[in-house]
Amino acid sequence: GDSVTQMEGPVTLSEEAFLTINCTYTATGYPSLFWYVQYPGEGLQLLLKATKADDKGSNKGFEATYRKETTSFHLEKGSVQVSDSAVYFCALSRNSGNTPLVFGKGTRLSVIA
Amino acid sequence: GAVVSQHPSRVICKSGTSVKIECRSLDFQATTMFWYRQFPKQSLMLMATSNEGSKATYEQGVEKDKFLINHASLTLSTLTVTSAHPEDSSFYICSALGPAEAFFGQGTRLTVV
């Protein structure tokens, strides 16, 4: 069945450091790919998404590119801030988001000043 | 963005009692809601799909008599954990399907003692 694998956390970075959180997936066909973020005490929020190969999703300085050849959707940010501290979930969906999501385990990011 | 409210955020109950978790879409109508469960250091796993006005669809391995789901209106779905046991302790999170994406509640941390 479909699955998502993302790098284990926790990840601790200094402010302004470069961030990469790896995510790979297993699915038949062409799923849509998502990154969700969960700030402390809040629900999951959609951070960015991509619906077809080579699409790049971007938001709030975060980027991820849908790589069909490597079945990957790695999350990157050039310069993290303390306010980026949260748990990040990679996910896929068979359609554009109107079907249940398959999630990775989540990666906790802590950014220190 | 759209808001989904989940209540309570934390609950501690005695073994053998039942606990009800509510999931409300505050500013849109949701025909479909999803219930997920997350064990420590594991992915969010889909438990069931809740459709307004009809019976929920449960994933394989999820006991429908133990996890009662009611989706009586377009803005409210409830999950009742009946006769709770310590192994039911977990993080439960709901998701309401909006026009273009899924929106998540804050999650409920259930501890059964």
Side-chain angles (χ1 to χ4, degrees):
Chain A
D2 297 346
S3 67
V4 174
T5 303
Q6 64 182 101
M7 65 185 288
E8 297 279 339
V11 174
T12 302
L13 295 173
S14 298
E15 209 165 21
E16 299 183 3
F18 184 86
L19 168 71
T20 299
I21 301 178
N22 290 338
C23 172
T24 57
Y25 67 91
T26 301
T28 55
Y30 298 89
S32 295
L33 302 174
F34 306 82
W35 276 100
Y36 281 83
V37 58
Q38 185 175 30
Y39 298 104
E42 299 182 15
L44 274 72
Q45 302 173 25
L46 178 64
L47 180 60
L48 53 84
K49 69 178 181 181
T51 57
K52 62 182 187 295
D54 299 325
D55 267 3
K56 177 186 285 187
S58 61
N59 185 25
K60 300 180 180 179
F62 291 89
E63 293 183 341
T65 301
Y66 190 144
R67 300 289 188 197
K68 181 69 176 175
E69 63 276 13
T70 55
T71 61
S72 65
F73 194 54
H74 304 320
L75 181 68
E76 297 182 336
K77 186 173 185 180
S79 177
V80 294
Q81 305 299 313
V82 172
S83 57
D84 294 325
S85 298
V87 180
Y88 293 82
F89 292 91
C90 185
L92 70 80
S93 171
R94 281 282 170 186
N95 295 317
S96 60
N98 59 352
T99 52
L101 292 158
V102 177
F103 287 92
K105 294 183 180 180
T107 303
R108 181 175 298 279
L109 170 66
S110 297
V111 180
I112 55 177
Chain B
V3 178
V4 172
S5 176
Q6 186 173 341
H7 178 80
S9 58
R10 292 180 180 271
V11 58
I12 300 173
C13 71
K14 291 185 177 180
S15 187
T17 62
S18 295
V19 174
K20 179 184 285 188
I21 302 170
E22 293 187 347
C23 180
R24 294 180 184 273
S25 56
L26 298 184
D27 52 3
F28 68 99
Q29 294 182 329
T31 305
T32 302
M33 292 186 178
F34 305 111
W35 286 95
Y36 295 86
R37 178 177 183 178
Q38 185 180 30
F39 293 100
K41 299 185 179 180
Q42 300 294 318
S43 303
L44 282 83
M45 301 299 295
L46 179 67
M47 297 176 66
T49 300
S50 167
N51 295 296
E52 186 268 338
S54 63
K55 291 183 179 180
T57 302
Y58 291 81
E59 295 300 299
Q60 189 174 7
V62 178
E63 299 177 57
K64 62 180 182 180
D65 294 330
K66 180 160 189 65
F67 298 100
L68 299 179
I69 292 173
N70 186 298
H71 194 159
S73 78
L74 287 171
T75 58
L76 174 65
S77 176
T78 60
L79 168 66
T80 301
V81 183
T82 62
S83 186
H85 291 283
E87 58 265 30
D88 298 324
S89 298
S90 191
F91 184 73
Y92 295 86
I93 192 164
C94 69
S95 171
L97 197 57
E101 65 180 85
F103 298 93
F104 288 81
Q106 303 93 322
T108 298
R109 174 74 59 190
L110 170 64
T111 303
V112 184
V113 297

